Amino acid sequence: MDSLEIDLIKRAQNGEREAMEQIFLMEREYLYKMAFLYMKNKEDSLDLVQECILRCITSIRSLKQPQYFRTWMTRILINCAHEEWARRGRYDFTEEEVFTAGESFPDEERMDLYHAIDCLNFPYRDIIIQHYFVGNKLNEIARTLNLPIGTVKVYHSRAKSRLKCMLEVEE
Amino acid sequence: MTEYRVWDEIEIPKELDKVIKDAVEEGHRRLQRKRKGKYLRVAAISMATAAACFIAVAVGFTNPVVARAYSNIPVIGNIFAYLYDTADSGIPYAQVGEAAVPVKEWDEAAQNPGQEEPGREGLGQKESGQKGLGQGGSGQEELGQQGGAVPDGEADTEDPVQIAIQEYFCDGYSLYLSFEVSSEEPFMEGVTDIAGKAGSIFLYATETIATETGERAEIGKNGSMVIRGMFTDERTFVGIARSGGSLDEYPVKDGMVYEMDSAHMRVFAGEQEADIRGEWKVSTEIACTGESLMTESLGQTIRGDCVLKEVRIQPYEIQVVIEEPKGRSLADEFVLIEVFDDQGRRLSWASQSSNRFVEEGDMRQEVWMFEKPADAQKVTVFAVDELKWMDEWKGYLYSDDPWSGEQMVEFLKENCFTYGEVELP
């Protein structure tokens, strides 16, 4: 992040509307794509972007280090996505139920990879999305999710195993 | 299994820009409302001195303070003590602040830049509307002289409201200033019982710092300053303000000059408020006080190599120092520092915008600054996992039936990374 962006963020923290707009327009593509990975359709993704921006602005003063603005924003977006999923009742899987859900699909069309990812629980789904779809490194994901890097590595391994397991069940 | 292709292929809808702009507009509106509400709450505390006792903003204005203030401390030239001294205070506030030394020749220097002495050039050059600064020694008024920081040329203006800096305290980073604001007419029309009541003045202000080499920097990027204090009568207000959010990373050294320009103030007294417009320019030379009043070493591990190093007690601030390896920030890991005093009050951040960072070798110190209540006897400092205990914080801060400060302290003692208790002087 360059000094111009940091200055923009500081100005936004001071309440400058133009600076806020510039920041989020600069991050527009990242924000939307990240939202899309979670919501899978345009309308919900736009709603998620909107909610994320609202929360970012109202709490931007709590951001202590402007250089980590994107990490902080990503975390807020992920939290918004989790809340939305919880609200829709899609987030009530226990770890055991994930497998049950996976096994209950044989009569449906073959469960593809993305559907399997949807069935993963927090934080496995986030790690898979962040790592394989966004391209973030595990240490960056650890920062975003506020988890130790060792934990993220373990979760990453588990998530892959579970995906494999779910896909194998389908086959 | 890499699926970057999916990322690349996600199409950006045309309406995204509008969604973002609308969201920013709505967010900004909510933020303004939130801040206004916050500020109105601040203003509301001035309704009564008694009510102010338990509001953090009015920390310096408890009844004992008022009693002492009216008993034996002169107002002019001693506003810090007037507002902050308590019978129990171990801090001699009357001796803490430095008398403000105004720079009265800035206008003259600006008009006659060629007459400046060598080494002072640049300060007097009138560029881009900047004011020139006069020579330190000859340009200073005698300490304690009535009129404080108002330059001569401005003291004679016909502005019915005058502002003067009386004292300051600067530790090299945080700058506190005491102000006397006097008006020819009563601040609040029809309000006659204002004397002795707490209040505040919100200044739309531009603050700058200038060095002897001519280097200038704008500080207090919020463009505003809040002076909190009390009315000594219906035409006079005395109060203390922390300059801007902080002095940021600007290297404040002795002999620097602080300037503040304002053309608009809003005066709050109880439920009343009044807008006043004028042209106010005040300045003072600044000398820093490097040592803190007291430093309590803690040295407690928070997480990994990150340590709750020490707590520094300043006259108007509690400064909590975290030591962490360079490149790592606990704040980034959502580990926050919270401070409560012995009366269960959660201390507000002194600087709303940023912490202070000081690098030493491979380590970096992160200094968290909190407002210091004048009547606090002890503080408890916590390193807290903000995310883990988010619900508890929300409940404490926003629920209809929140925990008391004491309950929150007990909860934090059991659930924080580490904490330290410090007796105040």
Side-chain angles (χ1 to χ4, degrees), chain B residues 113-125 133-136 212-213:
Chain B
Q115 297 178 13
E116 291 177 273
E117 291 185 5
R120 303 288 294 186
E121 64 269 18
L123 295 177
Q125 292 172 3
L133 304 175
Q135 187 176 358
E212 289 187 351
T213 60

Side-chain angles (χ1 to χ4, degrees), chain B residues 125-145:
Chain B
Q125 292 172 3
K126 197 171 186 177
E127 294 177 355
S128 306
Q130 292 181 352
K131 296 172 288 293
L133 304 175
Q135 187 176 358
S138 62
Q140 297 171 0
E141 292 183 5
E142 292 299 319
L143 301 188
Q145 187 171 339

Side-chain angles (χ1 to χ4, degrees), chain A residues 13-15 20 28 32-33 42 54 57-58 61 64-65 68 75 114 132-133 135 143 146 163, chain B residues 3-4 6-7 10-11 13 15 17 20 27-28 34-35 221-222 329 332-334 355 364 387:
Chain A
Q13 288 183 312
N14 288 334
M20 295 174 188
R28 59 195 285 282
Y32 178 78
K33 288 185 173 180
K42 188 179 85 173
L54 283 172
I57 289 176
T58 51
R61 284 197 156 191
K64 289 288 176 183
Q65 290 189 282
Y68 291 123
R75 183 172 189 80
Y114 306 142
Y132 293 104
F133 290 81
R143 182 182 295 151
N146 196 32
L163 279 176
Chain B
E3 294 291 336
Y4 301 155
V6 175
W7 176 266
I10 295 173
E11 287 185 17
E15 55 266 52
D17 283 4
I20 289 175
H28 185 257
K34 187 177 165 186
R35 289 183 181 176
K221 292 176 183 174
N222 288 329
S329 169
D332 184 45
E333 297 173 22
F334 298 93
N355 291 339
R364 183 179 70 166
L387 290 183

Side-chain angles (χ1 to χ4, degrees), chain B residues 19-330:
Chain B
V19 167
I20 289 175
K21 288 177 180 175
D22 289 348
V24 169
E25 185 174 345
E26 173 63 17
H28 185 257
R29 197 171 57 78
R30 288 187 192 180
L31 191 65
Q32 297 290 90
R33 199 167 54 212
K34 187 177 165 186
R35 289 183 181 176
K36 186 179 178 186
K38 184 180 178 183
Y39 190 72
L40 288 176
R41 283 197 296 278
V42 171
I45 62 159
S46 61
M47 290 175 64
T49 304
C53 294
F54 61 90
I55 308 277
V57 132
V59 290
F61 316 120
T62 52
N63 281 332
V65 184
V66 178
R68 167 135 186 195
Y70 279 111
S71 62
N72 56 10
I73 295 178
V75 179
I76 303 302
N78 218 336
I79 294 171
F80 279 164
Y82 179 80
L83 292 173
Y84 246 80
D85 256 355
T86 68
D88 301 327
S89 174
I91 301 174
Y93 282 98
Q95 300 166 27
V96 167
E98 300 288 334
V101 179
V103 180
K104 75 173 186 179
E105 290 184 348
W106 68 16
D107 282 346
E108 295 169 17
Q111 290 164 14
N112 305 292
Q115 297 178 13
E116 291 177 273
E117 291 185 5
R120 303 288 294 186
E121 64 269 18
L123 295 177
Q125 292 172 3
K126 197 171 186 177
E127 294 177 355
S128 306
Q130 292 181 352
K131 296 172 288 293
L133 304 175
Q135 187 176 358
S138 62
Q140 297 171 0
E141 292 183 5
E142 292 299 319
L143 301 188
Q145 187 171 339
Q146 179 71 31
V150 179
D152 277 357
E154 292 154 17
D156 295 333
T157 64
E158 295 179 356
D159 207 321
V161 176
Q162 294 289 314
I163 302 177
I165 301 174
Q166 295 292 358
E167 305 130 315
Y168 68 89
F169 175 84
C170 181
D171 64 2
Y173 187 80
S174 301
L175 173 60
Y176 285 82
L177 301 146
S178 70
F179 288 88
E180 180 187 2
V181 184
S182 54
S183 173
E184 291 177 6
E185 301 295 326
F187 284 113
M188 302 288 172
E189 194 173 342
V191 179
T192 55
D193 58 346
I194 202 170
K197 289 190 175 177
S200 57
I201 291 181
F202 185 92
L203 277 169
Y204 296 87
T206 302
E207 299 171 88
T208 55
I209 284 282
T211 66
E212 289 187 351
T213 60
E215 187 184 4
R216 303 177 72 92
E218 186 174 331
I219 59 173
K221 292 176 183 174
N222 288 329
S224 61
M225 170 182 271
V226 181
I227 309 173
R228 294 159 180 163
M230 67 170 59
F231 296 90
T232 58
D233 59 47
E234 59 189 16
R235 293 181 174 83
T236 309
F237 174 87
V238 292
I240 298 172
R242 187 178 192 273
S243 171
S246 71
L247 296 185
D248 209 356
E249 296 305 315
Y250 204 78
V252 178
K253 298 171 184 172
D254 288 356
M256 296 178 73
V257 175
Y258 168 86
E259 299 170 3
M260 189 273 288
D261 292 357
S262 177
H264 184 188
M265 71 166 71
R266 182 167 291 173
V267 182
F268 292 87
E271 293 180 317
Q272 306 283 327
E273 61 180 75
D275 279 306
I276 300 173
R277 295 184 186 274
E279 289 291 335
W280 304 292
K281 298 175 181 176
V282 290
S283 68
T284 179
E285 287 198 357
I286 294 172
C288 298
T289 304
E291 296 296 318
S292 56
L293 288 174
M294 187 185 103
T295 300
E296 182 82 11
S297 183
L298 296 176
Q300 296 169 201
T301 299
I302 299 174
R303 176 188 276 175
D305 295 333
C306 302
V307 175
L308 177 57
K309 186 171 188 263
E310 63 190 25
V311 177
R312 298 173 189 157
I313 310 301
Q314 294 286 34
Y316 310 101
E317 280 184 5
I318 305 289
Q319 298 179 347
V320 182
V321 183
I322 305 302
E323 195 166 68
E324 52 203 5
K326 271 185 187 174
R328 182 178 182 184
S329 169
L330 283 177

